[in-house]
Amino acid sequence: MNRMTKSNEALLEQLIEQVKKEYDACGIAVAVIDKKGNTQYQKFFGYRDEEQKLPIDENTIFGLASVTKSFTSLAIMQMAEKGIISLYDPISKYIPEFTNKNQDTVRIWHLMCHSGGFFPLPRIVVEDVAKALNLDEAVEGDLAYSDKLAEEGVRLVAKRLDEQTMANGLNGHAGEYLSYCNDGFGLLSDIIRRHGGEASYADYLNKHILEPLGMGRSGCDFVKPARDDNAAILYKKDNGVKVRHRNYHDNAFVLNGGGAMKSTLADLKKYLAMYLNEGTGLNGAHILDAYGIHEMCKPRQIYRPQSYYGFGLSIEHLDDLTVIEHGGALPGVSSNISWSYEADAAVIVLCNTSGVPVSLIADAAMRVYNGKSPIVTRDKYQEEPWTEETVSEAAGRYISGEGTDVELYRREDGSIGMRLDGKEQNIIPVNPYMAIVRGKMSDGNVSLYWRGGHVFAIRYGGRMIPKSK
């Protein structure tokens, strides 16, 4: 039931404008729909092209980045429903390049909830692999559909995952911990490519999800959105300077299942209405049975405090609602989708600028739809200083293969301090294993992982990051 009031709606828009200003966002699109697909709220802030002052509309194409993981998991669940695969099958059954020689058996469901045992690794990107293979998109066609690129990509990804061992590289046993892993979703997309009955992962999504739902302006293509007059310009910061571009290959992972989707508000309304209707599209198309949708939304692993991860989706509690959601981030992309069965509503937030906390906007919009104020008092944390032993064990550098550099250090007064990529952070220890990291408008956290009496890793931003030796 829509409980939005004019006063709360005004507060929501003030919050969006504040986020836009604080994070120098160029364009933000926000929509709320109900279970029947009716638009309950929609507004556009800023521009799809800031320099030319070109407006956003519901058909403007944005990158989705990791929101793609929900599409990948949905496709895997479709294949399981048809009996093509089992979620409990070993990955090696479908991808022989991954021999699984150095660890417990990694199964399909492990990768769907980032629990294969892998720390974040350096990103293998489309442009680098295409260059090494001398693939010219003008000759080869859109690289989203390239067998040559996918075959080399899966060989590279499988090889380096096989090289991980418990002594050097793995964060634990398969299924033991969650650590966000694009490589794992890359392997899942190659299972879809090889065994889904279509020519490529992108073709599978087109035929079995996008076309049945009528999502005509969505897909994994790189070339088409770059040439579309109504596609958002991508904005990112290079050394503090805002840069505009239309390169959808920028930092794109070589296997499409982790982040290649692009879409629009209009198309995503159809996608989210399908989830609200437990696998049936507004047009009556059967995408997945209700059981499969429920399995995707079931908590599997602890993701963040009061947040869990299912299959390509995360689950959080927002006031009196359970909210299913996923965000995405790439150069020029900040995206979030969310829905609540209790509210019978879904929220979409799309932005064409890197590093914008669009999940903050999504949560605020859901609160407003539920009759609550979008402005919430930030938590006041009761500090619990870490012991001298904990500070000593935690102190050190934690460097992610994706580039994040976290330094925990002992301050002169003996308390714990933190630097993120060299910048000082406001850190508040709240229990013996966790500290809150105060941000400009929202908070993150750092959690410690102990093994054999020593801290071997932290969790930051949904990723486990190993302690540097």
Side-chain angles (χ1 to χ4, degrees):
M1 178 186 296
N2 186 345
R3 298 185 175 94
M4 297 181 82
T5 65
K6 290 296 183 183
S7 59
N8 280 342
E9 191 175 309
L11 289 173
L12 171 64
E13 291 172 4
Q14 289 174 23
L15 174 66
I16 296 169
E17 292 288 3
Q18 184 183 358
V19 170
K20 184 176 180 297
K21 180 180 178 181
E22 287 283 347
Y23 292 88
D24 198 14
C26 295
I28 302 174
V30 183
V32 182
I33 63 164
D34 64 18
K35 185 176 181 178
K36 294 181 180 179
N38 298 316
T39 300
Q40 300 295 315
Y41 174 85
Q42 181 166 287
K43 191 156 184 180
F44 310 110
F45 302 79
Y47 303 98
R48 73 176 192 264
D49 184 327
E50 190 172 58
E51 290 71 25
Q52 297 189 53
K53 307 300 182 193
L54 298 179
I56 302 165
D57 62 40
E58 69 169 12
N59 293 308
T60 300
I61 295 172
F62 288 83
L64 298 189
S66 284
V67 170
T68 305
K69 292 178 173 67
S70 66
F71 288 85
T72 301
S73 292
L74 183 63
I76 288 287
M77 294 302 294
Q78 286 181 327
M79 291 169 64
E81 180 178 287
K82 294 170 185 173
I84 299 169
I85 60 172
S86 165
L87 303 188
Y88 299 95
D89 284 339
I91 296 297
S92 55
K93 178 177 178 179
Y94 301 101
I95 301 180
E97 293 91 339
F98 178 62
T99 67
N100 207 168
K101 62 186 178 183
N102 288 325
Q103 66 178 128
D104 305 332
T105 301
V106 180
R107 303 183 187 279
I108 290 176
W109 76 267
H110 289 139
L111 299 188
M112 295 173 74
C113 58
H114 298 295
S115 301
F118 308 111
F119 285 115
L121 294 166
R123 187 176 283 248
I124 301 172
V125 298
V126 166
E127 288 185 330
D128 290 348
V129 178
K131 183 177 179 181
L133 295 175
N134 293 314
L135 294 179
D136 182 349
E137 209 158 32
V139 176
E140 184 77 15
D142 197 302
L143 293 175
Y145 300 88
S146 170
D147 257 352
K148 294 176 185 176
L149 186 75
E151 286 166 2
E152 179 64 4
V154 77
R155 186 190 70 80
L156 293 170
V157 170
K159 179 177 182 293
R160 72 173 181 178
L161 293 183
D162 264 343
E163 290 170 350
Q164 312 299 305
T165 67
M166 287 296 285
N168 186 21
L170 295 172
N171 63 44
H173 298 284
E176 185 176 4
Y177 298 120
L178 177 149
S179 183
Y180 203 89
C181 181
N182 283 301
D183 291 65
F185 269 82
L187 293 186
L188 291 173
S189 64
D190 212 62
I191 291 175
I192 296 164
R193 177 182 73 93
R194 293 183 184 198
H195 302 280
E198 307 301 334
S200 67
Y201 168 82
D203 282 308
Y204 182 95
L205 294 193
N206 289 343
K207 184 170 181 179
H208 297 275
I209 298 174
L210 304 180
E211 290 173 10
L213 289 175
M215 296 174 66
R217 286 181 61 73
S218 302
C220 293
D221 303 59
F222 295 109
V223 176
K224 194 159 58 175
R227 294 175 176 171
D228 195 299
D229 288 339
N230 195 10
I233 298 294
L234 305 173
Y235 293 89
K236 64 178 182 178
K237 292 284 183 71
D238 279 346
N239 297 318
V241 178
K242 190 187 290 183
V243 177
R244 57 175 277 147
H245 67 99
R246 273 186 174 244
N247 178 17
Y248 283 93
H249 298 117
D250 192 0
N251 208 37
F253 194 72
V254 67
L255 298 174
N256 292 334
M261 278 290 299
K262 297 89 184 171
S263 191
T264 68
L265 273 190
D267 277 2
L268 288 172
K269 290 174 186 178
K270 300 170 185 176
Y271 183 61
L272 292 178
M274 178 273 297
Y275 283 110
L276 286 172
N277 289 281
E278 299 183 308
T280 300
L282 293 171
N283 58 2
H286 172 82
I287 303 300
L288 187 66
D289 62 21
Y291 172 79
I293 297 292
H294 298 164
E295 287 295 288
M296 288 180 67
C297 301
K298 185 183 293 183
R300 307 279 171 176
Q301 289 280 9
I302 295 172
Y303 188 32
R304 299 184 177 102
Q306 300 182 333
S307 174
Y308 300 86
Y309 206 90
F311 289 156
L313 296 164
S314 66
I315 302 95
E316 66 174 4
H317 297 291
L318 186 70
D319 304 326
D320 54 345
L321 300 176
T322 299
V323 175
I324 317 299
E325 65 93 33
H326 211 289
L330 275 172
V333 177
S334 297
S335 61
N336 193 271
I337 60 168
S338 63
W339 71 90
S340 170
Y341 290 109
E342 292 99 332
D344 271 343
V347 178
I348 307 154
V349 185
L350 302 174
C351 177
N352 60 344
T353 310
S354 307
V356 180
V358 290
S359 62
L360 185 68
I361 296 171
D363 285 351
M366 187 66 79
R367 283 192 172 101
V368 169
Y369 186 84
N370 196 35
K372 306 285 181 69
S373 170
I375 309 302
V376 294
T377 303
R378 291 179 70 176
D379 290 335
K380 294 181 179 179
Y381 299 99
Q382 182 171 332
E383 185 169 358
E384 183 178 336
W386 286 351
T387 65
E388 182 178 340
E389 177 192 4
T390 299
V391 172
S392 295
E393 269 302 319
R397 295 275 296 282
Y398 300 82
I399 301 175
S400 165
E402 294 176 324
T404 303
D405 185 342
V406 176
E407 180 187 3
L408 297 178
Y409 68 95
R410 182 195 297 274
R411 296 190 180 115
E412 288 186 5
D413 63 3
S415 64
I416 195 73
M418 175 181 165
R419 299 184 184 96
L420 174 62
D421 298 329
K423 296 180 180 178
E424 198 70 31
Q425 303 296 306
N426 182 5
I427 183 171
I428 307 169
V430 293
N431 66 48
Y433 299 95
M434 188 177 78
I436 299 298
V437 183
R438 280 286 198 188
K440 282 192 289 189
M441 296 185 69
S442 60
D443 298 331
N445 67 88
V446 170
S447 300
L448 305 180
Y449 284 86
W450 295 73
R451 182 178 290 150
H454 300 286
V455 174
F456 75 96
I458 60 168
R459 181 190 301 281
Y460 181 73
R463 287 156 165 82
M464 287 180 71
I465 306 176
K467 194 171 190 178
S468 217
K469 296 179 181 177

